[in-house]
Amino acid sequence: MRSGNPALSESTFLDLASGSVVARPDQAMTINGTVNKTGILLLLTVLTAAFAWSQSVDAYGQVSSSAMMYTIGGAVGGLILALVTVFKKEWSPVTAPMYALVEGFFLGAISAVFNMKFPGIVFQAVLLTFGTLFALLMLYRSGLIKVTEKFKMGVFAATGGIALVYLASFVLSFFNINVPVIHDASLLGIAFSLFVVAVAALNLVLDFDFIETGAAAHAPKYMEWYGAFGLMVTLVWLYVEFLRLLSKIQQR
């Protein structure tokens, strides 16, 4: 039960005492329940994102000073809540909605900034994100995509590699060292973004499989919130990467 998503690890559904999957058929996780809770998290994210967007653009149609506050605050707050949820998954009925609300501030602010530089880019990124979500869901449900152990390991390794590259870029930025492949609009930079988008999209498939496995194993009811949270983590990542990819393409 491995997922490239750091919020969904192979021990997520295991009881710490027995080391086995928790089975509570009368109060068990279901796929429909997870879908409903994912919809709630998406709605909460959209609400705060719309507010942050309105606050990030001033009366003259320019990016306001509040944009940076919402970007940094949302990113840091979202990271903290994500870590709390990962390590205390039984708290997910509370922390998952909080994560969605805080992450909305981050997404609204960066979306406003991107849209100011590249008008219409946000609408395109949203369409691509949800188009990818539904397309991969259809492929997964039809059985055209098989989630094998090799598939899981490949996506997991690629996700970890991308995380290390981003971390190295972040650390090097403190020494005024820029990693051009990640940030520039060269053909190599666009190819890198395409690769990251592909890996993020494949993580959706692992998330689908992981949620389905949890439902089949009769995981506790609160795991519906945790499964929805894990799916949200991937969707946020995919949306941001689509923004980055589209901005690079438009720069050329």
Side-chain angles (χ1 to χ4, degrees), residues 197-228:
V197 164
V199 173
L202 291 177
N203 268 276
L204 288 174
V205 177
L206 296 189
D207 295 342
F208 300 150
D209 181 70
F210 197 86
I211 292 168
E212 188 173 58
T213 302
H218 302 295
K221 193 69 173 177
Y222 66 78
M223 292 302 295
E224 292 178 350
W225 284 106
Y226 193 83

